[in-house]
Amino acid sequence: MFDTPWLYNLGKVIHFIGLISWFAGLFYLPRLFIYHTEALERPEAERGVLTEQYALMQRRLYHIIMTPAMFITFLGGSMMLFYYGWDWFVANIWMHWKLGFIILLVSYHFYGKSIMQRLARNEFVMSSAKFRMYNEIATLLLLAIVLLAVYKSRIDFLIAFLSLIAFGISLMMGIKAYKRYRERKGEV
């Protein structure tokens, strides 16, 4: 389309900056959900102050950082796709899979908003232990997306995907071990 790759390079820079900012929020928001949920179990005087502060932090993170960063990520990605063109997109099936994982990621993003709204009403959504597992969904989606971008062939992706599954199992085992550790220390 263009003689020089300036559009592609600009799109890549915008995409990476948006992606890093978006994932910073996707990783932090569930952590705030954990704190918010644990604050619901505090005595009334503490609970009101803490839950109000966590709700404010969640809203700011979601609306000021996460959502704009998501759109910046899409802008950069769209610029790169535009540079390569429709024929390239159709020929590269790995990109279709990547977009499928991105749809899951966007769903995760918007589901986070619904959790945030429920917690703002001091509704119990799930335990802090379950939020710790929920927190790892973004990690797994990020790994799947990056693996697809790096390993474009089927065999390489299959090896990488199996590694992703092993990593996911390791994460869950680590979460359970940490929960047992906290229970022994009486921190639950």
Side-chain angles (χ1 to χ4, degrees), residues 124-140:
F124 181 80
V125 178
M126 64 180 85
S127 70
S128 60
K130 288 194 176 161
F131 270 127
R132 282 182 175 82
M133 285 193 259
Y134 170 82
N135 194 18
E136 301 309 327
I137 294 171
T139 303
L140 295 174

Side-chain angles (χ1 to χ4, degrees), residues 163-177:
S163 300
L164 172 67
I165 290 171
F167 179 75
I169 291 168
S170 299
L171 276 177
M172 293 304 134
M173 290 171 52
I175 291 167
K176 288 185 182 284

Side-chain angles (χ1 to χ4, degrees), residues 57-80:
M57 291 169 70
Q58 291 161 19
R59 282 192 311 273
R60 287 180 177 170
L61 176 64
Y62 188 86
H63 294 292
I64 297 171
I65 297 172
M66 286 174 59
T67 302
M70 177 181 67
F71 287 112
I72 290 168
T73 303
F74 294 162
L75 173 66
S78 298
M79 290 169 70
M80 289 187 292

Side-chain angles (χ1 to χ4, degrees), residues 113-166:
K113 182 178 182 179
S114 70
I115 291 172
M116 182 179 72
Q117 292 168 334
R118 289 176 60 196
L119 285 172
R121 294 188 300 265
N122 291 329
E123 293 178 20
F124 181 80
V125 178
M126 64 180 85
S127 70
S128 60
K130 288 194 176 161
F131 270 127
R132 282 182 175 82
M133 285 193 259
Y134 170 82
N135 194 18
E136 301 309 327
I137 294 171
T139 303
L140 295 174
L141 289 171
L142 174 63
L143 285 171
I145 292 166
V146 170
L147 289 172
L148 276 166
V150 173
Y151 298 107
K152 296 170 175 78
S153 78
R154 289 184 186 153
I155 294 297
D156 289 341
F157 176 73
L158 181 61
I159 292 167
F161 189 73
L162 292 174
S163 300
L164 172 67
I165 290 171

Side-chain angles (χ1 to χ4, degrees), residues 64-112:
I64 297 171
I65 297 172
M66 286 174 59
T67 302
M70 177 181 67
F71 287 112
I72 290 168
T73 303
F74 294 162
L75 173 66
S78 298
M79 290 169 70
M80 289 187 292
L81 283 175
F82 180 76
Y83 176 79
Y84 278 117
W86 181 253
D87 292 336
W88 177 88
F89 175 74
V90 170
N92 286 281
I93 195 73
W94 67 270
M95 181 56 76
H96 302 180
W97 281 95
K98 181 181 173 189
L99 290 176
F101 282 117
I102 291 169
I103 289 168
L104 290 174
L105 189 61
V106 170
S107 300
Y108 178 84
H109 176 97
F110 287 117
Y111 185 64

Side-chain angles (χ1 to χ4, degrees), residues 33-44 47 50-51 54 118-119 121-126:
F33 294 162
I34 293 167
Y35 300 149
H36 196 143
T37 299
E38 290 174 349
L40 291 172
E41 300 168 1
R42 299 292 217 169
E44 181 59 42
R47 179 180 25 210
L50 289 172
T51 57
Y54 290 133
R118 289 176 60 196
L119 285 172
R121 294 188 300 265
N122 291 329
E123 293 178 20
F124 181 80
V125 178
M126 64 180 85

Side-chain angles (χ1 to χ4, degrees), residues 1-13 79-80 83-84:
M1 302 226 155
F2 298 93
D3 293 312
T4 60
W6 70 269
L7 179 66
Y8 175 80
N9 289 333
L10 179 62
K12 189 184 260 189
V13 167
M79 290 169 70
M80 289 187 292
Y83 176 79
Y84 278 117

